[in-house]
Every structure is written in structure tokens, then in C-alpha cells.
Amino acid sequence: MRHLLLALPFALLPLVAAQAHEAHEHGSLGAHEHGVGRLNAALDGQTLELELQSPAMNLVGFEHPATSDADKAKVAAVRALLDKPLELFNLPKAAGCIVANQELQSPLFGDPAPEDADDDDDDDHAPEAAGSTPAAGAEHHHDHSEIHAHYQFTCATPTALKTLDLGQVFKTFPATHKIQVQLITGSGQQGVDATPEAATLKF
């Protein structure tokens, strides 16, 4: 499912390194900052892949295991919203995109640490400090629960994908104040920060 996104850590290493450096300067790990999410997007032919990573706090409002009925209801509601990516990402109808595959992962959903956590940690060099063992990586992600959503779309008319509108993501999850986007298309790659005031990105 992630054949396009597998190339992202390598293709975007300079961008990731720059973001990680900036985050370290501000006293943050960069990988887990409340109010900030990350989106990797890759468009190749008729295939569009989106990978959204966010601290659970941004989407659910907490990061502890959902034990109360109220917390479980919040987690279920957020999962239902994430299960509708065509609405969430407001893809142009003219592009004729359909969901070919999707996967949601989070400790809050009862999942173990995401299988690509090692890739993420390698990018921002977090695990070296904690000892780069899978156990240490899993521990880190349970201390700071994240929600990872992977989507693969098949688009009949990819030329109609002129923009990626994240406005609905910000409206749906108002605790998200910024999304760090890394975008790869046939014409190159770009890194940009999307905000509620500047939520539309050009492919």
C-alpha cells in the first residue's frame, strides 16, 4: 500500500532534517508536538497516497488509553471521521478519486505502535537517544499516543488534482493548528506548513 510513501524518508531527507533541526532549536522533538500534525502526500500517475500523522491530543483531546465510556465514544467518533477520507481531504470531484486502500493505527484504537514508527523515528533521530530498539520506539509512542492514517486513492483524472485542500481537516479537528506537509509529484517535491488560514496547497 505504501510503495510511494516508502521513498519519502529518503527523497525528503533534507526537508525532514531541516524541520527536525528547527524543532530541536525550539526545545521540541519535532515528531510529537501538540497542535501540529504531519502529512506526506505522493502523486504518481493515477495513484494518490496520503499519510497523516498526528498526536492523539489534536484529534481526540487526550492521549491516555480510553477507559471511560465518554473517552471511548470520542475515540470511536474520531475513527469514524478518519474513515471518510474523501470528505476529510475534500478531493476535487472532477478527479474521480476512489479509496483503494486505507489503514488507521493508534494505541488508542487498541493497536500496537505503528509499524512505520521506526521510519519516523529514524527521520527525526529520536531513538538514538533512547536506544534504537523496537521496544524503545514502542515505549515512546505509547508515552505520546499518535494517530496514523494511511490512504491510497485511485484517481480517474489525476490532472484535475490541482490543489490539496486541508480546510476540512482543520475544521474537523480544531485543535490542529498547523500541518507540516511534504508533497511529491512528478514535477518535484515541496515542503510547506498548512494552517487554517492557508489550508490549500498546490500540487
Side-chain angles (χ1 to χ4, degrees), residues 29 32 34 55-56 63 107 139-147:
L29 286 175
H32 189 96
H34 292 173
E63 297 192 351
E139 219 172 78
H140 171 75
H141 278 267
H142 278 284
D143 289 342
H144 300 287
S145 294
E146 293 205 349
I147 294 176

Side-chain angles (χ1 to χ4, degrees), residues 6-172:
L6 285 174
L8 279 168
F10 304 102
L12 294 167
L13 210 51
L15 290 171
V16 172
Q19 287 179 351
H21 177 70
E22 182 183 341
H24 281 297
E25 283 185 341
H26 290 86
S28 163
L29 286 175
H32 189 96
E33 184 180 347
H34 292 173
V36 179
R38 290 177 291 163
L39 178 70
N40 294 327
L43 178 61
D44 182 20
Q46 292 185 308
T47 301
L48 171 66
E49 292 199 45
L50 301 177
E51 177 188 43
L52 179 66
Q53 302 173 0
S54 174
M57 182 66 74
N58 298 355
L59 309 187
V60 184
F62 57 85
E63 297 192 351
H64 56 265
T67 52
S68 71
D69 288 344
D71 285 355
K72 288 177 183 177
K74 285 181 187 176
V75 170
V78 165
R79 186 164 192 161
L81 292 168
L82 292 172
D83 268 331
K84 299 176 181 176
L86 288 173
E87 295 176 21
L88 192 61
F89 291 101
N90 198 23
L91 297 176
K93 290 183 180 177
C97 297
I98 60 169
V99 180
N101 211 331
Q102 69 183 53
E103 181 181 8
L104 302 177
Q105 289 183 316
S106 174
L108 295 186
F109 299 155
D111 299 329
E115 63 192 49
D116 60 348
D118 288 342
D119 289 343
D120 293 340
D121 286 342
D122 287 345
D123 290 347
D124 52 47
H125 303 292
E128 280 85 349
S132 56
T133 62
E139 219 172 78
H140 171 75
H141 278 267
H142 278 284
D143 289 342
H144 300 287
S145 294
E146 293 205 349
I147 294 176
H148 291 208
H150 302 268
Y151 306 105
Q152 185 182 74
F153 305 89
T154 300
C155 301
T157 313
T159 51
L161 288 171
K162 305 290 187 188
T163 60
L164 181 60
D165 181 4
L166 300 180
Q168 190 59 43
V169 177
F170 288 113
K171 287 177 188 172
T172 303

